[in-house]
């Protein structure tokens, strides 16, 4: 019988790419990870790893085993959910993650409702970028998370996660209110093709969104500033430093001097959890609370 803990190590080697990265994720030594993978290979009776230069790579058999591992781990999650439901009552720790603008708007009322209706739940919140969610879920640092993508920059689903749609929101182009330099009376994106742009840091989804939206409009933006906090971006826009794209949840009370023009682009938020965990009572209660919070908000669809 194959050891599930060793299968996890193989799965994470496929995800992280190096034994050193796996060791760091588990606070093991690289030699300990190598030894466990060697034992797994002996248990399997076939080659799972091969040398490629100074690194190891998964064989086709190992890649197939990783796919089976995802199914096994999802089945274990489902078994835990069944046991939790059989024990009755809602208790224990629920770790919830969300991106900043969702923490301030969607998550807070959901937390209030959960604390009121399920006082035995120990709720823990982590603010993080959606790109960090899959690793946090695998490491069991999160149980439920709010993730997002954009309709023009879709994100491939992670094989370790299930998710359910929560809401769509409008994306705005934020321009300085003073003057008519960026008059959005016609095509809003065409009106800012010669503007200085404020975008997220390279590698973030918000950075990709801005570049792709401009490409679809037929131009490459002149990026002058980088800001990952939307409040900072809006402050820069208000001071006349440039223009930027802002989703509705992040708008809040925009500063004086900012004009918001709606685009057809949508940001799409989903509730994510580990595969197999959807029927866990604590996860189901969290999903229900988030759905109620979303339904109580006035969001442009």
């Amino acid at each position: 019988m194959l050891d599930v803990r060793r299968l996890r190590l193989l799965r994470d080697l496929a995800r992280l790419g190096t034994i050193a990265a796996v060791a760091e994720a588990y606070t093991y030594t690289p030699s300990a990870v190598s030894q466990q993978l060697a034992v797994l290979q002996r248990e399997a009776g076939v080659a799972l790893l091969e040398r490629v230069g100074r690194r190891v790579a998964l064989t086709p058999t190992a890649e197939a085993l990783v796919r089976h591992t995802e199914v096994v781990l999802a089945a274990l999650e489902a078994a835990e959910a069944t046991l939790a439901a059989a024990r009755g009552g809602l208790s224990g720790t629920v770790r919830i993650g969300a991106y900043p603008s969702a923490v301030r708007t969607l998550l807070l009322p959901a937390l209030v409702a959960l604390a009121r209706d399920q006082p035995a739940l120990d709720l823990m919140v982590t603010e993080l970028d959606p790109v960090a969610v899959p690793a946090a879920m695998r490491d069991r640092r999160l149980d439920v998370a709010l993730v997002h993508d954009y309709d023009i920059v879709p994100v491939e689903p992670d094989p370790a996660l299930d998710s359910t749609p929560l809401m769509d929101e409008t994306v705005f182009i934020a321009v300085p209110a003073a003057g008519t330099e960026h008059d959005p009376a016609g095509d809003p994106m065409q009106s800012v093709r010669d503007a200085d742009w404020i975008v997220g840091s390279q590698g973030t989804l918000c950075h990709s969104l801005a570049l792709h939206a401009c490409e679809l409009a037929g131009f490459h933006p002149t990026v002058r500033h980088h800001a990952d906090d939307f409040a900072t971006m809006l402050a820069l826009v208000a001071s006349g430093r440039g223009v930027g794209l802002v989703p509705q949840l992040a708008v809040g009370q925009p500063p004086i001097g900012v004009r918001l023009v709606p685009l057809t682009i949508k940001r799409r938020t989903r509730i994510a959890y580990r595969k197999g965990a959807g029927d866990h009572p604590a996860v189901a209660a969290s999903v229900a609370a988030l759905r109620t919070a979303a339904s109580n908000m006035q969001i442009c669809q």
Side-chain angles (χ1 to χ4, degrees), residues 126-159:
T126 299
E127 182 182 283
L128 77 172
D129 191 276
V131 298
V133 164
M137 286 284 191
R138 287 186 174 92
D139 297 343
R140 307 188 78 83
R141 289 180 283 119
L142 290 181
D143 303 302
V144 179
L146 292 174
V147 297
H148 67 69
D149 67 359
Y150 296 89
D151 54 4
I152 64 169
V153 191
V155 173
E156 286 295 320
D158 189 280

Coordinates of all heavy atoms in Angstrom, one line a residue, residues 126-159:
T126 N -7.0 35.4 6.8 CA -5.7 35.8 6.2 C -6.0 36.6 5.0 O -6.8 36.1 4.1 CB -4.9 34.5 5.9 OG1 -4.6 33.8 7.1 CG2 -3.6 34.9 5.2
E127 N -5.4 37.7 4.9 CA -5.4 38.5 3.6 C -4.3 38.1 2.7 O -3.1 38.1 3.1 CB -5.3 40.0 4.0 CG -5.4 40.9 2.8 CD -5.3 42.4 3.2 OE1 -6.2 43.0 3.7 OE2 -4.2 42.9 2.9
L128 N -4.6 37.7 1.5 CA -3.6 37.3 0.6 C -4.1 37.4 -0.9 O -5.3 37.4 -1.1 CB -3.1 35.8 0.9 CG -4.0 34.6 0.4 CD1 -3.3 33.3 0.6 CD2 -5.4 34.6 1.1
D129 N -3.1 37.4 -1.8 CA -3.4 37.5 -3.2 C -3.9 36.1 -3.7 O -3.5 35.1 -3.2 CB -2.1 37.8 -4.0 CG -2.4 38.1 -5.4 OD1 -2.5 37.2 -6.2 OD2 -2.5 39.3 -5.8
P130 N -4.9 36.1 -4.6 CA -5.4 34.8 -5.0 C -4.4 33.8 -5.6 O -4.6 32.6 -5.5 CB -6.4 35.2 -6.1 CG -6.9 36.6 -5.7 CD -5.7 37.2 -5.1
V131 N -3.3 34.3 -6.1 CA -2.3 33.4 -6.7 C -1.7 32.6 -5.6 O -1.1 31.5 -5.8 CB -1.2 34.2 -7.4 CG1 -1.8 34.9 -8.6 CG2 -0.4 35.1 -6.5
A132 N -1.7 33.0 -4.3 CA -1.2 32.3 -3.2 C -2.1 31.3 -2.6 O -1.7 30.5 -1.7 CB -0.7 33.3 -2.1
V133 N -3.4 31.3 -3.0 CA -4.4 30.5 -2.4 C -4.1 29.0 -2.6 O -4.2 28.2 -1.6 CB -5.8 30.8 -2.9 CG1 -6.8 29.8 -2.6 CG2 -6.2 32.2 -2.3
P134 N -3.9 28.5 -3.8 CA -3.7 27.0 -4.0 C -2.7 26.4 -3.0 O -2.9 25.4 -2.4 CB -3.3 26.9 -5.4 CG -3.9 28.0 -6.1 CD -3.8 29.1 -5.1
A135 N -1.5 27.1 -2.9 CA -0.5 26.5 -2.0 C -0.9 26.6 -0.6 O -0.7 25.6 0.2 CB 0.8 27.3 -2.2
A136 N -1.6 27.6 -0.2 CA -2.1 27.7 1.2 C -3.2 26.6 1.5 O -3.3 26.1 2.6 CB -2.7 29.1 1.5
M137 N -4.0 26.3 0.5 CA -5.0 25.3 0.6 C -4.3 23.9 0.8 O -4.7 23.1 1.7 CB -5.9 25.2 -0.6 CG -6.9 26.4 -0.6 SD -8.3 26.1 0.5 CE -9.4 27.4 0.0
R138 N -3.3 23.6 -0.1 CA -2.6 22.3 0.0 C -1.9 22.2 1.3 O -1.9 21.1 1.9 CB -1.6 22.2 -1.1 CG -2.2 22.0 -2.5 CD -1.1 21.8 -3.5 NE -1.6 21.4 -4.8 CZ -1.8 22.3 -5.8 NH1 -1.6 23.6 -5.6 NH2 -2.3 21.9 -6.9
D139 N -1.4 23.2 1.8 CA -0.7 23.2 3.1 C -1.6 23.2 4.3 O -1.1 23.3 5.5 CB 0.3 24.3 3.2 CG 1.4 24.3 2.1 OD1 1.6 23.2 1.6 OD2 2.1 25.3 1.9
R140 N -2.9 23.3 4.1 CA -3.9 23.4 5.1 C -3.8 24.6 6.0 O -4.2 24.7 7.1 CB -3.9 22.1 5.9 CG -4.0 20.8 5.1 CD -4.2 19.6 6.0 NE -5.6 19.5 6.5 CZ -6.6 19.0 5.8 NH1 -6.4 18.5 4.5 NH2 -7.8 18.9 6.3
R141 N -3.2 25.7 5.4 CA -3.2 27.0 6.1 C -4.5 27.7 5.8 O -4.8 28.7 6.5 CB -2.0 27.8 5.6 CG -0.7 27.3 6.0 CD 0.5 28.2 5.5 NE 0.8 27.9 4.1 CZ 0.8 28.7 3.1 NH1 0.3 30.0 3.4 NH2 1.1 28.4 1.9
L142 N -5.3 27.3 4.8 CA -6.6 27.8 4.5 C -7.6 26.7 4.3 O -7.2 25.6 3.9 CB -6.6 28.7 3.3 CG -5.9 30.0 3.3 CD1 -6.0 30.7 1.9 CD2 -6.4 30.9 4.4
D143 N -8.8 26.9 4.7 CA -9.9 25.9 4.4 C -10.9 26.5 3.4 O -11.5 25.7 2.6 CB -10.7 25.6 5.7 CG -9.8 25.1 6.8 OD1 -9.1 24.1 6.6 OD2 -9.7 25.8 7.9
V144 N -11.1 27.8 3.4 CA -12.0 28.4 2.4 C -11.3 29.7 2.0 O -10.6 30.3 2.8 CB -13.4 28.8 3.1 CG1 -14.3 29.5 2.1 CG2 -14.0 27.6 3.7
A145 N -11.5 30.1 0.7 CA -10.9 31.3 0.2 C -11.7 31.9 -0.9 O -12.4 31.2 -1.6 CB -9.5 31.0 -0.3
L146 N -11.6 33.3 -0.9 CA -12.2 34.0 -2.1 C -11.1 34.2 -3.1 O -10.0 34.8 -2.8 CB -12.8 35.3 -1.6 CG -14.0 35.2 -0.7 CD1 -14.4 36.6 -0.2 CD2 -15.2 34.6 -1.4
V147 N -11.3 33.8 -4.3 CA -10.4 34.0 -5.4 C -11.1 34.7 -6.5 O -12.3 34.8 -6.6 CB -9.8 32.7 -5.9 CG1 -9.0 32.0 -4.8 CG2 -10.9 31.7 -6.4
H148 N -10.3 35.3 -7.4 CA -10.9 36.0 -8.5 C -10.1 35.9 -9.8 O -8.9 35.5 -9.7 CB -11.2 37.5 -8.2 CG -9.9 38.3 -8.1 ND1 -9.1 38.6 -9.1 CD2 -9.4 38.9 -7.0 CE1 -8.1 39.3 -8.7 NE2 -8.2 39.5 -7.4
D149 N -10.7 36.1 -10.9 CA -10.0 36.4 -12.2 C -10.9 37.4 -12.9 O -11.8 38.0 -12.4 CB -9.8 35.1 -13.0 CG -11.1 34.4 -13.5 OD1 -12.2 34.9 -13.2 OD2 -11.0 33.4 -14.2
Y150 N -10.5 37.6 -14.1 CA -11.2 38.6 -15.0 C -11.7 37.9 -16.3 O -11.0 37.0 -16.7 CB -10.3 39.8 -15.3 CG -9.9 40.6 -14.2 CD1 -8.8 40.3 -13.4 CD2 -10.7 41.7 -13.7 CE1 -8.4 41.1 -12.3 CE2 -10.3 42.4 -12.6 CZ -9.2 42.1 -11.9 OH -8.8 42.9 -10.8
D151 N -12.8 38.3 -16.8 CA -13.3 37.6 -18.0 C -12.4 37.7 -19.2 O -12.3 36.8 -20.0 CB -14.7 38.1 -18.4 CG -14.8 39.6 -18.5 OD1 -13.8 40.3 -18.4 OD2 -15.9 40.1 -18.8
I152 N -11.5 38.7 -19.2 CA -10.6 38.8 -20.3 C -9.2 38.2 -20.0 O -8.3 38.1 -20.8 CB -10.4 40.3 -20.8 CG1 -9.8 41.2 -19.7 CG2 -11.7 40.9 -21.3 CD1 -9.4 42.5 -20.2
V153 N -9.0 37.9 -18.7 CA -7.8 37.2 -18.2 C -8.2 36.0 -17.4 O -8.0 36.0 -16.1 CB -6.9 38.2 -17.5 CG1 -5.5 37.6 -17.3 CG2 -6.7 39.5 -18.2
P154 N -8.7 35.0 -17.9 CA -9.2 33.8 -17.1 C -8.0 33.1 -16.5 O -6.9 33.1 -17.1 CB -10.0 33.0 -18.1 CG -9.4 33.3 -19.5 CD -9.0 34.8 -19.4
V155 N -8.3 32.5 -15.4 CA -7.2 31.7 -14.7 C -7.7 30.2 -14.7 O -8.8 29.9 -14.5 CB -7.1 32.1 -13.2 CG1 -6.2 31.2 -12.5 CG2 -6.6 33.6 -13.2
E156 N -6.7 29.3 -15.1 CA -7.0 27.9 -15.2 C -7.3 27.4 -13.8 O -6.6 27.7 -12.8 CB -5.8 27.2 -15.7 CG -5.6 27.3 -17.2 CD -6.7 26.7 -18.0 OE1 -7.2 25.6 -17.7 OE2 -7.2 27.3 -19.0
P157 N -8.3 26.5 -13.6 CA -8.6 26.0 -12.3 C -7.5 25.1 -11.8 O -6.9 24.4 -12.6 CB -9.9 25.2 -12.5 CG -9.9 24.9 -14.0 CD -9.2 26.1 -14.7
D158 N -7.3 25.1 -10.5 CA -6.2 24.3 -9.9 C -6.8 22.9 -9.6 O -7.9 22.8 -9.1 CB -5.8 24.9 -8.6 CG -4.5 24.2 -8.0 OD1 -4.7 23.2 -7.4 OD2 -3.4 24.7 -8.2
P159 N -6.0 21.8 -9.9 CA -6.6 20.5 -9.8 C -6.8 20.1 -8.3 O -7.6 19.1 -8.1 CB -5.5 19.6 -10.4 CG -4.2 20.4 -10.4 CD -4.7 21.8 -10.5

